[in-house]
Amino acid sequence: MSELDVLVVDDDFMVARIHTQFVDRTPGFRVVGVSSTGQAALDDVARLRPDLVLLDVHLPDITGIDVLRRLRASGDDVGVLVVTAAREADTVRAAAAGGAAHYLVKPFDYDDLRVRLESFRAAHVALASGAPRQDDIDAVFGAATSAPTAALPKGLSPETADAVETALAERGELSATECAEAVGISRVSARRYLEHFVARGNVTVRLQYGGAGRPERRYRRA
């Protein structure tokens, strides 16, 4: 399959530039346009016909949710990945009701976006055939299979996965290091489990800034 075309929508040109770089780093995707307002986004979707829109909610003229609603009202089923600092439940529900493929809260790093882009591409590929199988349909809807252990990547065990989920439930929020100490595994292993849950949508992650070095990734149950 050829590369998927992406439209980046954000009124902050520096943020739009970073998101553009993230998309262009990801195999199978290319940015074909950048919009800084809601109306420009609607015009660019009609003109460029992208496969996916990275859509911010806070725009200077109309909200990203309004953009999404207008797209759907016009019959446009372009893929939408909401990328925003907005965390209000009503906004999340509206995005889901509008058929957004994913909802990613700022700030995030490259891996956060990459796993969602790859998930979108997998769903896109699954529908490329005229008669998708049940596994393909599950990829589109993000459905859990009847065998939870089959969903774990190679090298991850269901028992340890349960222990990580329990630690998250008990502590509320954890870093990979804190999770490793709570469960009794290495930090690298803890991060693999946590990132798997993030990709599956069960866990959210935020970046905690402070001090020297890279910001700390903090995980909590979605």
Side-chain angles (χ1 to χ4, degrees), residues 6-19:
V6 179
L7 175 68
V8 174
V9 181
D10 201 296
D11 65 334
D12 186 321
F13 78 95
M14 285 299 296
V15 173
R17 181 179 178 182
I18 292 170
H19 292 175

Side-chain angles (χ1 to χ4, degrees), residues 22-95:
F22 282 176
V23 172
D24 286 338
R25 284 178 62 180
T26 309
F29 294 88
R30 65 176 181 178
V31 173
V32 294
V34 177
S35 310
S36 59
T37 69
Q39 186 58 55
L42 292 169
D43 294 341
D44 287 342
V45 168
R47 178 174 60 89
L48 299 170
R49 306 309 304 165
D51 300 293
L52 178 65
V53 179
L54 261 61
L55 182 61
D56 191 15
V57 169
H58 298 304
L59 298 172
D61 50 352
I62 58 176
T63 70
I65 296 300
D66 287 331
V67 171
L68 179 57
R69 287 170 174 161
R70 294 187 190 186
L71 287 171
R72 298 305 185 238
S74 69
D76 197 316
D77 62 354
V78 62
V80 173
L81 197 169
V82 176
V83 287
T84 179
R87 305 174 65 99
E88 299 83 6
D90 287 347
T91 303
V92 176
R93 281 193 290 266

Side-chain angles (χ1 to χ4, degrees), residues 153-191:
K154 184 177 181 180
L156 303 188
S157 73
E159 295 80 10
T160 305
D162 288 343
V164 170
E165 288 190 300
T166 298
L168 276 171
E170 291 176 348
R171 304 289 184 88
E173 183 178 274
L174 289 170
S175 66
T177 299
E178 292 166 345
C179 180
E181 293 173 352
V183 177
I185 56 178
S186 71
R187 179 185 176 279
V188 172
S189 294
R191 176 155 181 167

